[in-house]
Amino acid sequence: MTCREPEWSDDDRAWMLALAYYRDTRCPLCGGDIRDCTAPEDDVVVTVPPPRRCLATDELRLATDQHKDKPGAGALLWRTEVRRR
């Protein structure tokens, strides 16, 4: 008789159930809790703060624009490095 260990422990199954519940309760549009973003208008106050600029994306777009017309530009792999001053 062969005795095998289960592939998933009780903790693993609990974590997966929790993840499934979390994903099921997210709004597909905003990513927030579906109960909050679909509540009647008089129950919640929704605000949109001003956008923030991603400096890494700014630099990445500038670098890729400078190389877009060069041969083989589509094969270049780009990344950003962020350092604090």
Side-chain angles (χ1 to χ4, degrees):
M1 182 163 127
T2 303
C3 194
R4 293 186 183 183
E5 248 185 72
E7 186 175 348
W8 294 72
S9 70
D10 289 341
D11 283 345
D12 292 335
R13 286 190 293 276
W15 278 110
M16 289 300 105
L17 286 172
L19 179 60
Y21 174 77
Y22 174 81
R23 287 179 175 166
D24 286 345
T25 60
R26 299 296 94 191
C27 173
L29 298 177
C30 73
D33 188 312
I34 194 86
R35 295 168 296 189
D36 293 337
C37 67
T38 59
E41 290 180 20
D42 56 341
D43 286 351
V44 295
V45 176
V46 177
T47 59
V48 178
R52 298 174 67 186
R53 178 166 300 280
C54 175
L55 301 176
T57 300
D58 274 350
E59 291 300 319
L60 186 62
R61 287 183 178 169
L62 178 64
T64 56
D65 284 349
Q66 292 173 353
H67 289 82
K68 69 181 175 189
D69 296 327
K70 295 183 181 176
L76 296 174
L77 300 175
W78 295 93
R79 66 187 181 93
T80 60
E81 294 178 353
V82 179
R83 293 186 314 268
R84 294 260 179 215
R85 293 182 194 184

